[in-house]
């Protein structure tokens, strides 16, 4: 039985010298210190590119009218490095700012908001700060007779900005606007966009979301309200413009029944640019047959507006409406977003760019059922995870949830959900009259009230469980620096996945931080130059081992006990002879690709170990690009054992041989590897043979393993004759049969009573096709 160690971990504060930043997750809260006067809300979070920091911003309400913003710089754990309140002078007696979007670069931080003028009408507002919170510049863009609703803003590839939304005179004029600026907020161009059905009187257009396309232009999605088309309904409108704001194409969509068109609170969610030919548009629509809300994804070619594919999704019974709030693209190329559930709060999900859902779970501030957490923003992080912000249920301040690439945090208040159901989707294209106006906006700035209010917010680490693996590597009672330590995580299916690696410091110390709960194995690999007389070693609670299947499995869970995972490198057993051996590691069935292929594809970077019996471990080697390994200088009178060591894959066969004085080198100690094991196979079996999948025959063995006999079951679609050879592990033929088979299921019996226990291989020739099946006799 494999040995299991239950490892409990608590908060670790003593050492963080070389943390694996890319695997950090946290659930944290920040209590904003405003001395009891007012509160901060409307939080937005961004990861700073090329950094492990975050920028957090919100609007600050000091219980009197003002235009105030809270800005904080956070470290990789979500702790506040500095924060401040920036106050801008106003011309309105009752300004009410709202933070619509934020964006962080590696040099600055920008907010997109609104500025209320003397007519109490909102105007687009952009403010820029350095990464220390110092104000660089601000601009607001005014047409004093119009009210501008700011929907969002982005940083453009040329270092400038776009701010966009909906403009109205509160009566008949209702159009979208886009203002393109340079890197200092100077207007490059500004345009109004209106569209209408031929029977409508007024132009109407409301941009909901916008992104820059790979050609430097922009694609935006807007809602098109049309009383003429359908009373009380809005269509989804997609518009592609060039880098100067000129329309390239536009397309309005009406979804087929039983879906209603963008009404009843449903609407456009996000535009995600995948590449030059693929943009994914997301929206939510009503399903009048299931009485629920669906998520819709459209993959559109931005060059011409053609639809590449379209899909719709709905949640499983009892999980409510698919009220998606936001979808972003992660740094690994996947899409991630969240929807709001009345029962569970906000629920995160991840899908790939073909529309396949991968993960769905919620991370909560309070135990599920005692209070719901609703996110107010989401941003991607450098490791493929996301970070979300939410208002604290337990008082003023903000909750932050930093996940890994699987949307997990270390907080126990987490629940996974079944993936949504995919369904068909149809729509009709409609033509609208498009009108574009070049408009002139007054480019103005406001002053910053100095000094800004520096405040001291505090972190309240909500989730106190931080799981770590740490320890020292030593050799001959001396600490071993510059040793690579590998952490393998064991999945639910038993697969070993190399999660991370780190090099020991001068004290031989290593540490892996912020790990999700689960099972792990630790391996130390010394440099062959610095430690030529020591072997790669797995952690074992009593003594280290060179084999993964003898290593301790560390089951990480939250608790109150810790242990050090210390490894003493295993010294090589000295050899004084001149004998040598070599071989290859080759692919059997789909080790790398998952495809069934002919044997013989070399597999590099596989660890091979050789032991002397009795004696101990001698050496290890790693296969080169040709799958080749070699051991030299071995004793000329000893017994050796050679293994291919691939974590998670058992060795069904190993080479054991005795060397006598005068024996020549032994070559062709070949291993074959598939997705479930490592085998020794007779080389001649594969000469001139292609192993292929066949639709004409299905071959299986029952029972396997067996104690005495087994049946070869062949399901064929034609009458034929086959040749069957049963061979032992060294290629000796022990049984042969040449039966005729008929259409349908055929059973051919084999007796192994007179054969010793071990590994056998069944070679089956069928109409120029060849099959190899492994049988284990117990």
């Amino acid at each position: 039985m494999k040995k299991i160690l239950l490892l409990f971990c608590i908060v670790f504060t003593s050492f963080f010298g070389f943390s694996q930043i890319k695997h950090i997750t946290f659930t944290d809260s920040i209590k904003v210190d405003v001395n009891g006067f007012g509160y901060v809300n409307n939080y937005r979070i961004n990861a700073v590119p090329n950094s492990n920091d975050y920028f957090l911003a919100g609007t600050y309400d000091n219980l009197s009218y003002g235009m105030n913003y809270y800005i904080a710089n956070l470290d990789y754990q979500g702790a506040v490095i500095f924060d401040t309140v920036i106050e801008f002078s106003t011309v309105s007696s009752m300004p009410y700012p709202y933070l619509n979007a934020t964006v962080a670069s590696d040099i600055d931080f920008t907010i997109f908001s609104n500025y209320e003028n003397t007519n109490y009408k909102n105007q687009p507002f952009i403010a820029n700060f350095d990464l220390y919170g110092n104000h660089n510049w601000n601009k607001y863009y005014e047409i004093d007779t119009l009210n501008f609703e700011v929907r969002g803003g982005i940083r453009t590839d040329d270092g400038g900005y776009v701010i966009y939304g909906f403009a109205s005179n509160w009566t008949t004029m209702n159009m979208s606007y886009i203002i393109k600026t340079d890197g200092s907020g100077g207007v490059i161009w500004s345009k109004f966009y209106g569209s209408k059905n031929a029977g409508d009187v007024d132009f109407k257009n409301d941009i909901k979301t916008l992104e820059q396309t790979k050609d430097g232009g922009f694609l935006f999605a807007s809602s098109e309200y049309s009383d003429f088309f359908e009373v009380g309904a809005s269509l989804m409108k997609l518009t592609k413009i060039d880098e100067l704001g000129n329309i390239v194409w536009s397309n309005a969509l009406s979804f087929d029944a039983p879906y209603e068109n963008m009404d009843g609170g449903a609407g456009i969610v996000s535009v995600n640019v995948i590449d030059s030919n693929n943009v994914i548009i997301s929206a939510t629509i009503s399903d009048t047959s299931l009485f629920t809300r669906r998520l819709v994804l459209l993959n559109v070619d931005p060059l011409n507006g053609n639809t590449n594919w379209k899909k719709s999704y709905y949640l499983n019974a009892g999980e409510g409406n698919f009220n998606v709030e936001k979808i972003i693209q992660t740094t690994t190329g996947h899409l991630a977003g969240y929807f709001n559930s009345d029962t569970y709060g906000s629920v995160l999900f991840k899908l790939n760019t073909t529309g396949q859902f991968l993960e769905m779970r919620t991370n909560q501030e309070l135990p599920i059922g005692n209070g719901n957490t609703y996110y107010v923003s989401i941003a991607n992080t450098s490791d493929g995870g996301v970070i979300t912000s939410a208002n604290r249920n337990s008082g003023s301040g903000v909750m932050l949830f930093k996940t890994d690439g699987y949307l997990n945090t270390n907080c126990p208040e987490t629940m996974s959900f079944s993936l949504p159901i995919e369904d068909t989707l149809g729509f009709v294209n409609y033509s609208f009259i498009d009108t574009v106006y070049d408009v002139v906006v007054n480019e103005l700035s406001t002053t910053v009230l100095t000094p800004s209010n520096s405040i001291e917010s505090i972190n309240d680490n909500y989730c106190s469980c931080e799981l770590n693996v740490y320890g020292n590597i030593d050799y001959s009672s001396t600490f071993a620096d510059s040793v690579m330590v590998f952490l393998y995580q064991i999945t639910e299916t038993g697969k070993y996945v190399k999660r991370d690696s780190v090099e020991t410091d001068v004290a031989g110390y290593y540490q892996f931080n912020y790990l999700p709960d689960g099972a792990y194995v630790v391996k130390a690999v010394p440099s062959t130059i610095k430690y030529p007389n020591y072997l790669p070693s797995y952690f074992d609670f009593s003594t280290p081992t060179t084999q993964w299947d003898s290593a301790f499995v560390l089951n990480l869970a939250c608790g109150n006990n810790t242990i050090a995972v210390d490894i003493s490198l295993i010294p090589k057993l000295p050899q004084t002879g001149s004998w040598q051996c070599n071989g290859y590691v080759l692919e059997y069935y789909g080790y790398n690709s998952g495809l069934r292929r002919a044997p013989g594809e070399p597999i590099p970077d596989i660890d091979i170990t050789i032991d002397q019996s009795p004696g101990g471990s001698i050496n290890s080697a790693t296969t080169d690009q040709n799958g080749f390994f070699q051991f030299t200088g071995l004793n000329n009178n000893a017994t050796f054992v050679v293994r291919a060591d691939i974590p998670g894959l058992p060795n069904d066969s190993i080479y054991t041989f005795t060397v006598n004085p005068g024996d020549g080198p032994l070559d062709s100690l070949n291993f074959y590897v598939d997705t479930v094991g490592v085998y020794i196979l007779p080389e001649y079996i594969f000469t001139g043979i292609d192993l292929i999948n066949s639709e004409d025959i299905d071959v299986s063995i029952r029972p396997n393993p067996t104690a005495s006999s087994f049946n070869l079951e062949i399901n064929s679609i034609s009458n034929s004759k086959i040749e069957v050879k049963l061979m032992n592990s060294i290629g000796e033929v022990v049984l042969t049969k040449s039966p005729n088979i008929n259409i349908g299921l055929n059973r051919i019996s084999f007796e192994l009573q007179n054969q010793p226990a071990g590994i056998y291989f069944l070679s089956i020739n069928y109409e120029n096709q060849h099959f190899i099946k492994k049988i284990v006799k117990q």
Side-chain angles (χ1 to χ4, degrees), residues 602-764:
I603 307 178
D605 300 321
I606 300 298
D607 292 334
I608 309 297
T609 63
I610 184 168
D611 297 342
Q612 183 172 310
S613 178
S617 301
I618 298 173
N619 208 341
S620 68
T622 303
T623 57
D624 63 15
Q625 290 300 311
N626 296 316
F628 180 76
F629 68 89
Q630 184 176 26
F631 295 107
T632 61
L634 302 175
N635 289 337
N636 294 90
N637 187 11
T639 298
F640 299 99
V641 178
V642 178
R643 297 181 179 89
D645 189 76
I646 305 175
L649 292 185
N651 278 282
D652 283 345
S653 301
I654 61 176
Y655 286 103
T656 302
F657 48 85
T658 299
V659 177
N660 299 307
D663 285 350
L666 182 60
D667 58 12
S668 300
L669 299 179
N670 298 341
F671 295 94
Y672 288 88
V673 182
D674 65 8
T675 56
V676 296
V678 181
Y679 318 116
I680 294 172
L681 303 179
E683 189 70 24
Y684 73 84
I685 292 177
F686 303 113
T687 303
I689 294 174
D690 290 329
L691 297 185
I692 61 175
N693 283 315
S694 174
E695 297 179 355
D696 299 332
I697 187 173
D698 180 43
V699 178
S700 60
I701 293 174
R702 305 174 192 277
N704 190 15
T706 180
S708 59
S709 62
F710 67 90
N711 288 324
L712 169 63
E713 296 184 354
I714 299 178
N715 202 336
S716 177
I717 64 171
S718 64
N719 297 325
S720 184
K721 185 174 182 178
I722 65 171
E723 293 182 359
V724 183
K725 295 180 181 179
L726 183 69
M727 294 165 287
N728 60 23
S729 61
I730 60 174
E732 296 174 337
V733 177
V734 296
L735 287 172
T736 60
K737 291 191 177 186
S738 300
N740 294 317
I741 60 173
N742 302 314
I743 297 174
L745 181 63
N746 302 263
R747 289 188 176 90
I748 305 165
S749 298
F750 288 82
E751 295 293 335
L752 293 179
Q753 291 178 344
N754 298 326
Q755 302 298 328
I759 304 295
Y760 293 84
F761 296 94
L762 204 63
S763 172
I764 306 161

Side-chain angles (χ1 to χ4, degrees), residues 65-238:
Y65 291 105
M67 192 168 177
N68 312 317
Y69 299 92
Y70 171 78
I71 296 176
N73 180 220
L74 314 177
D75 68 10
Y76 59 88
Q77 299 179 91
V80 176
I81 299 174
F82 70 80
D83 59 358
T84 186
V85 169
I86 308 293
E87 301 181 50
F88 293 94
S89 63
T90 63
V91 295
S92 170
S93 59
M94 294 186 296
Y96 191 81
Y98 190 85
L99 197 57
N100 301 90
T102 58
V103 61
S105 76
D106 54 1
I107 60 172
D108 58 13
F109 179 73
T110 307
I111 66 173
F112 301 87
S113 185
N114 60 291
Y115 187 85
E116 195 170 277
N117 64 14
T118 54
N119 294 325
Y120 305 108
K121 292 182 178 178
N122 289 319
Q123 311 297 309
F125 176 77
I126 306 177
N128 180 267
F129 310 88
D130 66 21
L131 296 184
Y132 299 97
N134 300 309
H135 171 260
N136 289 329
W137 55 265
N138 72 83
K139 293 288 179 67
Y140 67 94
Y141 309 95
E142 184 180 52
I143 299 179
D144 59 5
T145 59
L146 298 179
N147 185 74
F148 290 81
E149 297 293 336
V150 179
R151 302 299 190 198
I154 64 170
R155 188 183 183 100
T156 55
D157 293 340
D158 60 3
Y161 300 92
V162 159
I163 190 168
Y164 61 89
F166 174 69
S168 172
N169 62 358
W170 292 341
T171 55
T172 59
M173 191 280 182
N174 299 283
M175 303 184 80
S176 289
Y177 70 88
I178 298 176
I179 300 173
K180 174 68 177 74
T181 80
D182 60 21
S184 299
V187 175
I188 297 177
W189 54 263
S190 57
K191 294 181 183 290
F192 280 3
Y193 298 86
S195 55
K196 65 177 181 178
N197 185 280
D200 290 326
V201 177
D202 301 321
F203 286 98
K204 295 179 175 66
N205 191 284
D206 186 0
I207 295 179
K208 301 297 185 181
T209 183
L210 173 150
E211 289 294 335
Q212 188 168 23
T213 51
K214 298 299 183 181
D215 60 2
F218 303 91
L219 179 62
F220 62 84
S222 57
S223 61
E224 298 291 331
Y225 185 84
S226 173
D227 279 331
F228 181 82
F229 170 76
E230 183 180 345
V231 175
S234 296
L235 281 69
M236 183 167 71
K237 178 76 172 295
L238 305 178

Side-chain angles (χ1 to χ4, degrees), residues 15 122 148 158 235 246 292 301 348 355 360 424 437-438 464-465 473 549 563 574 590 612 710 722 731 736 753 770:
F15 186 90
N122 289 319
F148 290 81
D158 60 3
L235 281 69
N246 303 308
T292 189
D301 187 336
L348 285 171
M360 186 172 290
T424 57
Y437 295 110
D438 290 304
S464 60
C465 175
I473 309 299
D549 54 0
I563 68 164
Q612 183 172 310
F710 67 90
I722 65 171
T736 60
Q753 291 178 344
H770 201 85

Side-chain angles (χ1 to χ4, degrees), residues 366-412:
L366 299 173
I368 294 171
N370 294 343
N372 292 331
T373 298
Y374 293 95
Y375 306 144
V376 294
S377 74
I378 183 173
N380 62 37
T381 57
S382 61
D383 60 355
V386 300
I387 185 168
T388 61
S389 64
N391 293 319
R392 294 176 76 242
N393 287 329
S394 54
S396 63
V398 60
M399 289 295 304
L400 298 173
F401 300 91
K402 163 65 180 72
T403 80
D404 61 16
Y406 301 98
L407 306 183
N408 290 311
T409 74
N410 285 326
C411 188

